[in-house]
Amino acid sequence: MLSNQTSWRKANLTCKIAIDNLEKAELLQGGDLLRQRKTAKENLAQTSSTITENLMGISRVMSQQVQQSEEAMQTLVNSSRTILDANEEFKSMSGTIQLGRKLITKYNRRELTDKLLIFLALALFLATVLYIVKKRLFPFL
C-alpha cells in the first residue's frame, strides 16, 4: 500500500508538473495571441485612421465642389440678370424701332403727296403762263 501511495504521489506530481508546463506553454502561446491581437488592433487603428483621412479628403473635395457650384450659381444669376436687362432694353428699342418705321412710312407718304402737289402746282403755273402768253400773243384766238 505504501508503494501504491508513493507511486500515486509520483504520478500526481508528474501530472501537476505536466499541467504546469502545459499552462506555461499556453500562456506563452497566449502571449503570441496577445501580440497578434495587439498587432491586429494596431492594424485596425491604422486602417481606421487611413479611412478617416480618406473621408476627410473626400469631405474637402466635396466642400470645394459645393463652393464651385455656389460660384457657378452666382455667375448664372448675374448672367441671367444681365440677359433680362438686355431683353428689356431690346423691348424698348423694338418699340422705338417700330415708331421709327411708322414715322418713315408716314414721311414717305407725305413726300409722295408733296411731289404730287408740287407737280400739280407746276402744271397750274405752266398752264397759267401759257394762258397769259396766248392772250398776249394771240388776242384773237
Side-chain angles (χ1 to χ4, degrees), residues 87-104:
N87 188 24
E88 291 298 321
E89 186 77 24
F90 286 140
K91 282 181 183 179
S92 68
M93 289 299 248
S94 174
T96 305
I97 289 171
Q98 287 177 354
L99 180 63
R101 184 183 326 147
K102 286 179 184 178
L103 289 173
I104 289 173

Side-chain angles (χ1 to χ4, degrees), residues 11 21 26 32 34 52 64 68 80-81 86 89 95 97-98 101 108 111 113 116 135:
N21 287 338
E26 281 182 13
D32 287 341
L34 287 174
T52 302
Q64 290 173 351
Q68 288 177 351
S80 177
R81 188 176 305 126
E89 186 77 24
I97 289 171
Q98 287 177 354
R101 184 183 326 147
N108 286 338
E111 185 181 12
T113 305
L116 184 62
K135 285 290 183 185

Side-chain angles (χ1 to χ4, degrees), residues 3-14:
S3 126
N4 278 340
Q5 222 177 19
T6 353
S7 323
W8 184 76
R9 283 185 183 167
K10 282 184 183 178
N12 197 9
L13 187 62
T14 309

Side-chain angles (χ1 to χ4, degrees), residues 50-90:
T50 304
I51 290 172
T52 302
E53 288 174 11
N54 288 341
L55 287 174
M56 294 289 279
I58 290 170
S59 176
R60 282 191 298 274
V61 168
M62 287 176 63
S63 174
Q64 290 173 351
Q65 289 295 327
V66 167
Q67 192 174 21
Q68 288 177 351
S69 295
E70 286 175 359
E71 290 172 1
M73 183 68 83
Q74 190 65 28
T75 303
L76 284 174
V77 166
N78 290 339
S79 297
S80 177
R81 188 176 305 126
T82 303
I83 288 172
L84 287 174
D85 292 343
N87 188 24
E88 291 298 321
E89 186 77 24
F90 286 140

